[in-house]
Amino acid sequence: MILEKRNFYLTTPIYYPNSNLHLGHTYTTIVADVLKKYKQAQGYDVFFTTGTDEHGQKLQDSALKAGKKPLEYIDPIVESAKELWKILNIDFDAFVRSTDSIHEKNVSEIFTKLYDKGEIYKGSYKGKYCVPCEAFWTDSQLVDGNKCPDCGREVVESEEETYFFKLSKYGDRLLELYEKNPDFIQPESRKNEMISFIKEGLTDLSVTRSSFDWGVKVPFDEKHVVYVWIDALSCYLTGIGYGVDDEKFNKFWPCDVHLVGKEIMRFHAIIWPAILMALDLPLPKKIFGHGWILFDEDKMSKSKGNVVYAEPIIERYGMDALRYFMLREFTFGQDGNFTYTKMLNRINSDLVNDLGNLVSRTVAMCEKYFEGFVPKATDIIDLDKELIDLAVSVREKVDFEMDKLNFSGALEEIWKLVRRTNKYIDETTPWVLIKEDKERLKTVIYNLLDSIRIISGLIKPFMAETSTKINKQLGISGSDFEGLRKFGLLEEGTKVCKGENLFNRLEVEKELEIISENNKKLIEKRKQENTTKDETEIVEEEKITIDDFAKIELKVGKVLECEQHPKADRLLVFKIDLGNEVRTIVSGIRKFYSQTDLIGKKVIVVTNLKPVNLRGVESNGMILAASDDKNLSVLTVLSDMEEGTKVS
Ligand code: MSP
């Protein structure tokens, strides 16, 4: 059957230049890449745009601080982002830098067009401004009276002449859009947030700045630059040839799905469609706001030190394991807490036990019982039919889940088949059949191999390398995607060949230490390398308030006991007297102190930390120490103080 070519356009956000993109950042691009490959396999002509959002005050300031011109500062950062996408096998079609001259020309023309149509007018803005977010807020939008609703930082009073986009007039049209297109905003919960926001009343949007000049100049008023959102959002148009290649543009616009993180939903679901309405351009079909990948239940951030990088994971466990885990573990649309333990356990259970074992057992049996030649299936009994019916029905179920962007659900459907096929081995007991009924064994082995062919084809958009390895073992170059709805396509007589394990079993405890350590080393390395500062580091330099400090409870404690941690050489387990209680605290200071060194000593303890389980021992607090690369010294008090005395 020749499939009619259909077009599909998808985008990820245009990232702020950041030399240290973490696992949270990689989430959207991994998802987009899987979606692209799945749609392509279904026969779509897919175009995927990503890029970098390079204008604005923050970047100008950062470049200045680094003693560089903006582009001189940004270029290497953009290269490092591209490098990461390469490592992750992200197959984008356009990488738009908002500083590309063609994009700058587009922005300038779009702005002029909106102005000429009366959609933009000049005025002046006085209000509360958040410098890091480059956004003005009304009093009712502020949190706690003076904090930015997006980032929580304090806003400043500011006044400037600015151009406004007439956003206020689009409220009703936007509500109508959502009502007529129930899938426009996904997931549902985000739609409700957008509706309430609009119902509170939209105000016109300030779309230029004159307080800095790193941006696209307003063509007819050069002391203004176009504010970041019109600039950044328009990258989605530039990616498919807006202004230069009408054929390509008309082929792919309107966009099928903009994939974005939940915090930038408002810009995509409210401001963006309003701008497009004003430009008389068709509207995107869907905006999907995914959740955040958290670490320690908190948003990943270098400044908090709770950052996980993709590179050490890929280096040790492979890209496919990471891609599988990210898509299987987290529900796209909801926040999810990343832990190495969850990842390692899932690799062991789903990839080593379920998939890896299935492939290696089956291919080994085919080699052992039939010299590696795919046997011919003869009589099909009910038990076989059950497996076959499931195998040929999975493709449709996966299509259904992928249409909803339910990646975890799609993988679960595939894994139902993986598990069912494994169970089929236990039910048919080939090792008994070899002795009792070789004819029946032929059918069994064939059914196993052909189910694996289908599984391999289905996982390909998620895990291309693994799929290729499986195909190689099956002696085939791949399977037509339509052929995944049919059973019996693996040709009799094909020579299978056992390869290396697809995934190796991991010793969780050991790996946990290694991978955490490797991640820590990379954090350290990047800290040192950072001669140039990126977005996150600007945050790092900010001071905390006395209120922030007051949240940390510090007390004097007396060390009563100290033991070696039963499972980790570098950890000591302390019993610390805090006056009215004795706490167990695990500390990684074994390299610097023996079990007896600190007995009876007064130390400073953080007492209101959430308890953590450190390799089987619950730690309830933290002992403070000063450290550099070589030395470590535990903090104490100069004169004797009672246990439990507060430190402030
Ligand atoms: N430049 C804007 C987007 C403009 S789009 C026209 C921006 N850039 S960003 O670099 O800050 O963020 C890029 C994407 O990374 C966002 O979708 C954001 O939600 C996502 N993530 C950053 N940290 C994340 C997690 N910890 N988890 C999941 N996604 C996260 O915003």
Side-chain angles (χ1 to χ4, degrees):
M1 176 172 55
I2 297 174
L3 281 177
E4 180 201 339
K5 268 271 183 221
R6 292 157 292 176
N7 305 320
F8 192 89
Y9 183 35
L10 81 140
T11 68
T12 68
I14 307 299
Y15 286 72
Y16 292 127
N18 182 331
S19 49
N20 303 306
L21 292 168
H22 57 60
L23 200 58
H25 292 117
T26 64
Y27 186 46
T28 332
T29 34
I30 293 179
V31 163
D33 186 64
V34 167
L35 184 60
K36 172 178 174 174
K37 287 174 177 148
Y38 198 85
K39 284 281 162 195
Q40 276 180 326
Q42 283 178 314
Y44 285 82
D45 193 351
V46 186
F47 199 96
F48 163 20
T49 293
T50 187
T52 35
D53 187 354
E54 304 180 11
H55 289 127
Q57 185 165 15
K58 272 188 288 184
L59 278 159
Q60 187 165 21
D61 289 351
S62 303
L64 201 70
K65 246 188 225 169
K68 293 188 173 166
K69 293 202 175 110
L71 276 184
E72 197 189 337
Y73 165 75
I74 298 166
D75 283 347
I77 302 180
V78 171
E79 279 319 303
S80 72
K82 285 189 176 166
E83 190 52 39
L84 178 62
W85 300 152
K86 207 158 124 195
I87 296 174
L88 283 162
N89 241 356
I90 305 296
D91 184 21
F92 52 77
D93 299 284
F95 189 98
V96 180
R97 296 185 58 174
S98 62
T99 52
D100 287 340
S101 57
I102 178 65
H103 178 69
E104 293 192 339
K105 182 170 156 282
N106 281 343
V107 173
S108 169
E109 282 175 13
I110 286 170
F111 194 91
T112 308
K113 192 166 174 189
L114 291 171
Y115 184 74
D116 290 346
K117 288 182 84 193
E119 297 284 348
I120 282 179
Y121 63 94
K122 193 171 180 176
S124 103
Y125 202 102
K126 183 165 187 269
K128 305 288 190 324
Y129 185 67
C130 175
V131 178
C133 295
E134 296 175 14
F136 275 104
W137 300 103
T138 60
D139 283 338
S140 66
Q141 288 169 331
L142 295 175
V143 176
D144 297 339
N146 66 344
K147 297 206 175 85
C148 169
D150 271 355
C151 72
R153 279 166 280 194
E154 279 185 23
V155 292
V156 290
E157 198 68 56
S158 177
E159 179 170 12
E160 68 178 85
E161 182 190 85
T162 183
Y163 286 83
F164 286 96
F165 168 62
K166 290 183 181 168
L167 182 65
S168 61
K169 74 175 204 194
Y170 285 98
D172 289 342
R173 279 181 70 183
L174 288 166
L175 291 174
E176 195 185 317
L177 166 75
Y178 305 162
E179 201 171 316
K180 287 201 176 138
N181 303 278
D183 289 342
F184 179 74
I185 298 176
Q186 292 281 305
E188 201 64 20
S189 54
R190 310 246 184 272
K191 189 195 310 187
N192 301 334
E193 281 167 30
M194 296 303 117
I195 293 176
S196 340
F197 190 82
I198 294 174
K199 286 193 171 158
E200 273 172 31
L202 293 177
T203 50
D204 287 349
L205 184 76
S206 161
V207 286
T208 60
R209 295 286 179 268
S210 54
S211 50
F212 61 92
D213 64 1
W214 180 238
V216 178
K217 295 214 169 16
V218 172
F220 45 87
D221 192 349
E222 294 230 324
K223 74 174 197 293
H224 290 267
V225 290
V226 178
Y227 170 55
V228 63
W229 281 100
I230 286 195
D231 180 3
L233 289 158
S234 306
C235 289
Y236 300 145
L237 304 177
T238 301
I240 46 169
Y242 182 82
V244 281
D245 185 346
D246 288 350
E247 198 185 323
K248 182 153 113 192
F249 182 74
N250 293 327
K251 177 172 170 187
F252 288 106
W253 194 260
C255 182
D256 288 271
V257 59
H258 291 302
L259 301 171
V260 304
K262 63 179 184 180
E263 83 284 12
I264 52 175
M265 203 54 194
R266 211 178 321 138
F267 302 101
H268 285 81
I270 296 178
I271 297 175
W272 184 224
I275 293 173
L276 292 167
M277 284 174 190
L279 287 168
D280 295 319
L281 279 172
L283 304 181
K285 295 179 199 155
K286 195 193 292 290
I287 317 285
F288 196 106
H290 65 75
W292 285 340
I293 305 299
L294 308 174
F295 193 66
D296 290 343
E297 305 289 348
D298 201 354
K299 192 170 183 209
M300 274 189 213
S301 136
K302 232 179 351 170
S303 53
K304 291 182 205 145
N306 65 345
V307 69
V308 174
Y309 289 120
E311 291 91 330
I313 300 176
I314 296 170
E315 202 178 305
R316 197 154 175 89
Y317 311 114
M319 194 181 56
D320 279 6
L322 177 66
R323 285 169 69 109
Y324 174 79
F325 175 73
M326 295 299 280
L327 269 78
R328 176 64 186 87
E329 182 71 25
F330 306 115
T331 305
F332 197 55
Q334 290 171 17
D335 288 353
N337 193 42
F338 176 93
T339 71
Y340 286 118
T341 313
K342 273 194 221 169
M343 182 187 76
L344 297 168
N345 284 334
R346 222 180 237 292
I347 294 177
N348 272 347
S349 66
D350 297 11
L351 300 180
V352 181
N353 284 358
D354 294 345
L355 182 65
N357 267 349
L358 173 67
V359 174
S360 70
R361 284 206 286 173
T362 304
V363 175
M365 286 191 292
C366 184
E367 286 193 330
K368 187 166 166 203
Y369 303 145
F370 300 104
E371 277 134 30
F373 292 102
V374 175
K376 186 175 163 59
T378 47
D379 278 345
I380 300 291
I381 63 170
D382 280 352
L383 179 62
D384 307 333
K385 220 170 156 306
E386 207 185 290
L387 174 71
I388 294 171
D389 286 349
L390 177 68
V392 296
S393 69
V394 178
R395 165 70 206 279
E396 195 172 328
K397 292 177 193 155
V398 177
D399 279 1
F400 178 74
E401 297 303 337
M402 291 299 281
D403 276 347
K404 292 191 294 178
L405 304 187
N406 180 5
F407 302 98
S408 170
L411 284 168
E412 176 52 22
E413 290 301 339
I414 303 173
W415 251 252
K416 277 185 196 160
L417 176 60
V418 174
R419 291 192 294 262
R420 182 66 192 85
T421 315
N422 265 323
K423 193 168 155 223
Y424 179 82
I425 301 184
D426 302 335
E427 288 166 342
T428 52
T429 56
W431 48 92
V432 177
L433 289 178
I434 183 68
K435 291 181 214 135
E436 295 175 0
D437 189 351
K438 195 155 180 202
E439 207 46 36
R440 169 83 189 125
L441 181 65
K442 285 184 186 167
T443 305
V444 166
I445 296 294
Y446 184 86
N447 290 343
L448 286 170
L449 289 167
D450 209 38
S451 299
I452 294 174
R453 171 188 62 84
I454 292 180
I455 291 165
S456 172
L458 289 167
I459 63 169
K460 191 170 171 207
F462 299 86
M463 298 190 278
E465 260 178 33
T466 306
S467 173
T468 306
K469 282 186 194 162
I470 297 176
N471 291 341
K472 208 166 155 205
Q473 297 202 33
L474 292 185
I476 57 175
S477 59
S479 191
D480 171 53
F481 213 54
E482 278 312 296
L484 305 180
R485 301 179 197 276
K486 295 185 196 114
F487 209 79
L489 295 189
L490 185 63
E491 280 180 34
E492 174 202 342
T494 307
K495 181 90 169 67
V496 305
C497 175
K498 198 163 163 10
E500 280 175 16
N501 286 345
L502 295 176
F503 297 94
N504 291 316
R505 175 163 306 287
L506 304 171
E507 265 181 61
V508 175
E509 292 289 330
K510 185 178 132 214
E511 292 299 325
L512 207 53
E513 267 199 29
I514 296 174
I515 189 68
S516 315
E517 194 54 37
N518 290 355
N519 190 59
K520 219 154 92 196
K521 276 188 201 146
L522 185 59
I523 295 178
E524 281 309 315
K525 183 167 165 250
R526 290 198 161 152
K527 237 188 227 163
Q528 285 172 10
E529 272 170 10
N530 260 321
T531 44
T532 51
K533 306 257 170 210
D534 64 25
E535 300 299 303
T536 334
E537 279 154 345
I538 298 170
V539 179
E540 252 173 278
E541 287 175 359
E542 276 181 5
K543 307 244 184 314
I544 61 166
T545 64
I546 189 78
D547 293 344
D548 293 327
F549 179 70
K551 285 186 198 152
I552 304 169
E553 191 182 73
L554 299 168
K555 286 186 183 169
V556 175
K558 182 177 172 185
V559 178
L560 298 179
E561 294 169 24
C562 175
E563 283 173 6
Q564 177 63 52
H565 189 293
K567 289 193 193 145
D569 294 347
R570 55 182 193 91
L571 299 179
L572 290 174
V573 182
F574 290 89
K575 291 268 186 262
I576 309 257
D577 185 355
L578 289 166
N580 54 358
E581 59 173 326
V582 175
R583 295 261 189 112
T584 301
I585 297 180
V586 180
S587 179
I589 57 176
R590 174 70 189 87
K591 209 169 125 196
F592 304 94
Y593 292 99
S594 75
Q595 272 167 253
T596 49
D597 285 348
L598 294 173
I599 302 287
K601 296 269 184 327
K602 297 280 169 76
V603 292
I604 309 297
V605 176
V606 183
T607 49
N608 61 343
L609 272 185
K610 276 190 200 159
V612 280
N613 191 301
L614 292 170
R615 306 204 54 191
V617 180
E618 186 172 275
S619 178
N620 235 308
M622 182 168 87
I623 299 172
L624 292 185
S627 66
D628 58 23
D629 284 350
K630 295 185 198 78
N631 305 304
L632 181 143
S633 172
V634 160
L635 262 57
T636 184
V637 274
L638 286 179
S639 53
D640 196 26
M641 299 294 289
E642 279 296 305
E643 293 86 294
T645 309
K646 276 191 130 189
V647 178
S648 56

